[in-house]
Amino acid sequence: MKEKSYSEIMKASVMKRIKAKETFVQDLYVDMLISEIQLKNQKEKLLMKIDKAIDDRNRTLFFTLTEELKALDKQFGT
């Protein structure tokens, strides 16, 4: 078995760290993308329920749903 030189070991170590950083950033991006999709989906469902409450002239439900929408917007800073 051939022993690696110090410089080869250091290069391998640096490459591992670079790869780990890239993987971390990719995982973070995927998590952010999934969260964004979930948020849009929740907002879309709430907006459809709000529209139905308006159509049905259900004032109580309308106010309840708009409060939920405000809380969702506040939670995610949108």
Side-chain angles (χ1 to χ4, degrees), residues 3 10-11 19 26 32 36 48 52 62 74:
E3 289 188 32
M10 293 310 296
K11 285 179 188 177
K19 196 88 154 152
Q26 287 175 348
M32 289 171 57
E36 181 72 20
M48 287 173 50
K52 182 160 175 25
F62 170 79
K74 187 176 181 180

Side-chain angles (χ1 to χ4, degrees), residues 18-34:
I18 290 172
K19 196 88 154 152
K21 285 180 185 177
E22 289 174 357
T23 302
F24 173 76
V25 171
Q26 287 175 348
D27 289 345
L28 185 62
Y29 180 72
V30 168
D31 286 343
M32 289 171 57
L33 189 60
I34 290 170

Side-chain angles (χ1 to χ4, degrees), residues 11-56:
K11 285 179 188 177
S13 173
V14 169
M15 291 304 292
K16 283 181 185 177
R17 279 186 267 149
I18 290 172
K19 196 88 154 152
K21 285 180 185 177
E22 289 174 357
T23 302
F24 173 76
V25 171
Q26 287 175 348
D27 289 345
L28 185 62
Y29 180 72
V30 168
D31 286 343
M32 289 171 57
L33 189 60
I34 290 170
S35 293
E36 181 72 20
I37 290 168
Q38 289 174 332
L39 172 65
K40 285 184 178 184
N41 191 18
Q42 281 182 299
K43 286 179 77 170
E44 187 176 309
K45 285 180 181 180
L46 266 176
L47 289 171
M48 287 173 50
K49 288 179 181 180
I50 289 170
D51 287 344
K52 182 160 175 25
I54 291 171
D55 292 341
D56 295 344

Side-chain angles (χ1 to χ4, degrees), residues 55-67:
D55 292 341
D56 295 344
R57 298 182 189 272
N58 188 339
R59 194 176 179 122
T60 306
L61 182 59
F62 170 79
F63 285 121
T64 302
L65 293 171
T66 54
E67 288 302 317

